[in-house]
Amino acid sequence: PPCLPTSYRFVSQENMDNYLRALDINVVLRKLVCLLKPDKEIIHTGDHMVIRTITSLRDYVMDFDLGVQFEEDLGPVDGRKCQTTVSWEGDQLVCEQLGEKRNRGWRHWLEGDQLHL
């Protein structure tokens, strides 16, 4: 699997409102998220990762082992808990979230030195 650099500064977002709408995120939270400019810190040691999303309101930390399902508490984000698995698919870091809402998750990948979600 690829090794991701340690930190990323927010550059831009495109189509975020539509992405959040597809995830069934309420309109107030969607508008708030679209105003934030989150930076990321990624610590990758063997099969263990810590991904810290840093915003002016609150930080969100994911601490997990690749390929191992864990309970993710998204209470601060959208009020839910889910069973989450993050793993590599080729050169993309893929997150699958199983829980009360279907088809949730994300992908991270690099294009040059930019991290995409």
Side-chain angles (χ1 to χ4, degrees):
C3 184
L4 298 175
T6 304
S7 61
Y8 299 90
R9 304 299 293 166
F10 179 85
V11 175
S12 68
Q13 65 184 3
E14 296 173 22
N15 207 28
M16 182 59 84
D17 188 65
N18 287 333
Y19 168 70
L20 296 172
R21 184 179 294 127
L23 292 176
D24 195 31
I25 303 295
N26 75 61
V27 67
V28 174
L29 187 54
R30 285 197 325 260
K31 297 303 178 193
L32 177 62
V33 168
C34 288
L35 292 174
L36 297 175
K37 310 243 182 290
D39 293 329
K40 295 262 185 187
E41 289 182 357
I42 299 174
I43 300 168
H44 185 186
T45 309
D47 285 340
H48 187 78
M49 290 188 102
V50 177
I51 300 176
R52 186 172 167 227
T53 304
I54 304 155
T55 73
S56 56
L57 291 179
R58 163 181 293 165
D59 294 353
Y60 179 72
V61 178
M62 288 182 73
D63 188 331
F64 57 91
D65 291 318
L66 290 164
V68 178
Q69 190 175 77
F70 64 97
E71 182 176 85
E72 185 177 10
D73 183 358
L74 290 162
V77 178
D78 66 3
R80 59 189 175 96
K81 289 187 179 179
C82 58
Q83 295 301 310
T84 298
T85 305
V86 181
S87 55
W88 288 107
E89 286 184 15
D91 62 353
Q92 295 188 3
L93 192 60
V94 178
C95 172
E96 290 184 66
Q97 298 170 328
L98 304 173
E100 62 207 47
K101 297 193 177 189
R102 300 183 58 157
N103 300 319
R104 291 289 184 103
W106 49 258
R107 291 176 180 266
H108 278 319
W109 69 95
L110 287 174
E111 289 182 15
D113 63 352
Q114 292 187 343
L115 180 69
H116 291 261
L117 167 65

